[in-house]
Amino acid sequence: MNLWNPFDRMKSKQEKNYLNIMYFKTLLNVCIQMFEYKNTPNSLFNDYIEQYLLCNGNCGIVEIEGELTPVIGGRCGEINPYSLGNSYTWACPDYSGTFEDGKDGAIIRNNSTESPDLDILQYTHLFTECDISIENNVTWSRLAPLMLAHDEKTKHALETAFENIKNGKPDTVVSENIIPELLQGNLTPPVLQLSDVKNIQNLQYLSEYRDQLLKRFFLKRGHSMQTTSKHAQTNNDEIHGLDSIAWVIPENMLKHRKEGIKKVNEIFGTNITVDFSEIWKKEKTNFVKEGEKNEMGEDKGNSDTIADNEESA
């Protein structure tokens, strides 16, 4: 089966644009999977609720032709004491409108600052640049000598010889122009080295940097990836020291989604629920268990210390 790979035919700028789009969609898709909505009507697509929240910082839930629909827009209307509009103006290709929050529609907030996950764009850029650096290091570490030939005949002979070497075939070059070189002891044709095979060593640092980017990205979203560098030793406290920090933002995001869905249920008489998806639930369970284990270890250590002090007394 022949597979058409447009990436091989792209110019450098096109490749970078392709990587940017690919990473943005991949990271956004990962974030969309963080929360799970249940008991939603068929018209209320969960993925679009999350996509609007992550990219816009908020979204509205309104009824369009009798069906609940997530919409994207912005706050407007009368300003409350927190300088936020109590109404929401939205638009889509076929419909548009304005609703008052909590009355004929509900605003759901992405987080306490009602801001989008802008770091998705930041990490899209960083992952793209990292991949380009890796590709460049692979290219510049290839053994690709530029052979210098005095004429077309010698050039053709050398190219044929190297092609046969790649195929594992022996070859013989016969050219009168090479005889003087052989008589002078110059058995190796002149070569201009445009690359350095030692550059391949840089790949390990780029690979570790990419792992650190992944760790930082998922750390903000509740997953404390246990990646360790070969250049430093880490103990258990260092590995799990950021576990609690990893859940600050996910818990805040869940809080505001629950508040928004509560308004939806009160306005439209639905029974929708929202919670972490199964993967995030398992990760949180592991975090809680690890915390309980550490607390038990600390309590045991304190008990042993008290007992030792009593014996000494």
Side-chain angles (χ1 to χ4, degrees):
M1 181 175 63
N2 294 325
L3 294 178
W4 180 62
N5 185 4
F7 194 80
D8 292 337
R9 297 168 176 81
M10 292 180 183
K11 295 181 179 180
S12 298
K13 188 175 181 179
Q14 292 174 315
E15 287 184 8
K16 188 170 184 178
N17 290 337
Y18 179 90
L19 288 173
N20 273 314
I21 294 171
M22 182 269 291
Y23 272 115
F24 175 76
K25 290 189 174 183
T26 300
L27 296 177
L28 179 61
N29 188 39
V30 168
C31 295
I32 288 173
Q33 312 310 315
M34 186 184 298
F35 300 100
E36 183 180 24
Y37 297 79
K38 293 183 178 180
N39 304 323
T40 56
N42 295 332
S43 60
L44 202 60
F45 293 104
N46 305 341
D47 290 349
Y48 281 96
I49 296 177
E50 283 303 307
Q51 185 171 319
Y52 292 164
L53 288 171
L54 294 168
C55 295
N56 193 55
N58 59 39
C59 83
I61 304 295
V62 295
E63 200 170 51
I64 300 178
E65 294 188 353
E67 294 186 333
L68 288 185
T69 308
V71 293
I72 189 170
R75 287 182 178 268
C76 63
E78 184 179 348
I79 303 298
N80 63 24
Y82 305 103
S83 299
L84 296 173
N86 286 325
S87 298
Y88 196 82
T89 296
W90 57 273
C92 60
D94 296 324
Y95 304 93
S96 63
T98 301
F99 66 82
E100 184 178 344
D101 184 33
K103 185 176 180 181
D104 47 358
I107 299 175
I108 303 178
R109 306 173 70 186
N110 184 42
N111 47 44
S112 291
T113 56
E114 204 166 311
S115 57
D117 279 25
L118 296 173
D119 66 324
I120 294 177
L121 295 173
Q122 175 195 15
Y123 282 100
T124 292
H125 169 73
L126 292 174
F127 279 119
T128 297
E129 293 298 326
C130 187
D131 274 12
I132 292 174
S133 297
I134 290 175
E135 182 180 358
N136 286 340
N137 269 271
V138 171
T139 300
W140 285 98
S141 62
R142 288 175 178 170
L143 184 60
L146 182 61
M147 312 299 295
L148 303 180
H150 299 294
D151 51 51
E152 282 295 324
K153 189 174 182 179
T154 305
K155 174 178 176 293
H156 177 71
L158 290 172
E159 289 176 347
T160 302
F162 270 92
E163 191 63 30
N164 288 334
I165 289 174
K166 287 168 59 178
N167 296 327
K169 298 178 181 179
D171 197 22
T172 302
V173 178
V174 178
S175 174
E176 294 180 357
N177 295 321
I178 296 180
I179 294 177
E181 299 288 338
L182 294 174
L183 293 176
Q184 294 175 15
N186 298 326
L187 300 178
T188 303
V191 173
L192 177 62
Q193 292 288 357
L194 297 179
S195 58
D196 187 354
V197 293
K198 294 189 296 295
N199 285 338
I200 199 71
Q201 299 173 359
N202 297 327
L203 289 180
Q204 63 175 320
Y205 302 107
L206 288 169
S207 179
E208 288 180 9
Y209 174 63
R210 192 177 187 280
D211 288 344
Q212 288 300 317
L213 288 179
L214 277 174
K215 182 175 181 178
R216 286 166 51 189
F217 179 80
F218 282 105
L219 178 64
K220 179 184 173 183
R221 292 162 174 85
H223 290 265
S224 183
M225 294 176 59
Q226 313 306 331
T227 59
T228 56
S229 171
K230 295 181 180 179
H231 303 289
Q233 293 182 345
T234 54
N235 55 39
N236 188 65
D237 291 338
E238 291 173 329
I239 290 176
H240 295 285
L242 295 175
D243 287 1
S244 58
I245 301 298
W247 282 96
V248 172
I249 291 180
E251 289 287 357
N252 179 260
M253 296 171 73
L254 178 61
K255 169 193 170 185
H256 288 286
R257 280 159 173 76
K258 285 186 173 182
E259 291 176 354
I261 291 300
K262 181 181 178 182
K263 287 189 292 185
V264 173
N265 291 334
E266 292 173 351
I267 297 168
F268 301 106
T270 52
N271 188 32
I272 303 171
T273 61
V274 59
D275 203 346
F276 291 119
S277 62
E278 288 301 318
I279 295 176
W280 267 264
K281 283 181 180 178
K282 290 179 181 179
E283 188 69 18
K284 186 177 179 181
T285 300
N286 293 336
F287 158 65
V288 173
K289 289 181 178 179
E290 188 67 32
E292 292 174 349
K293 186 191 303 182
N294 292 337
E295 288 180 1
M296 292 176 61
E298 291 177 0
D299 292 342
K300 183 178 184 302
N302 293 334
S303 299
D304 292 343
T305 302
I306 294 173
D308 292 341
N309 292 336
E310 291 176 349
E311 290 179 0
S312 300

